[in-house]
Amino acid sequence: VPVLSFNVEGFSSEETATRLDKAGFALRAGLHCAPLAHDWAQTMQTGAVRCVPSVFTRPEEVDALAKQLTLLKNSR
């Protein structure tokens, strides 16, 4: 299962996940019980947003998430 972790510059992981939730995406924010991974990625202080696409994720859903991330990034 692919796991994508990311942050949007200027937003906390919690704020990013909350804004994307309001746009209809189910994402999680925080440390995800993975302190060693966050230590390696240098996100121990901020956490990260986690997205787990699956075989049921349609290409247009990926495009919609990318569009929302672009809008979020450009809103700062």
Side-chain angles (χ1 to χ4, degrees):
V1 173
V3 176
L4 307 171
S5 295
F6 61 89
N7 284 309
V8 176
E9 187 176 351
F11 295 90
S12 69
S13 60
E14 291 83 5
E15 184 178 6
T16 299
T18 297
R19 287 177 179 239
L20 292 171
D21 177 65
K22 290 177 182 177
F25 297 95
L27 306 170
R28 303 236 4 233
L31 295 178
H32 316 297
C33 300
L36 294 177
H38 285 283
D39 188 45
W40 176 83
Q42 300 178 354
T43 56
M44 186 64 86
Q45 299 300 315
T46 61
V49 179
R50 182 178 68 192
C51 176
V52 184
S54 75
V55 297
F56 302 106
T57 304
R58 298 185 319 263
E60 55 269 16
E61 293 172 317
V62 175
D63 292 342
L65 177 59
K67 180 179 179 180
Q68 287 299 315
L69 286 169
T70 300
L71 291 171
L72 181 61
K73 182 180 177 187
N74 292 335
S75 70
R76 283 280 168 163

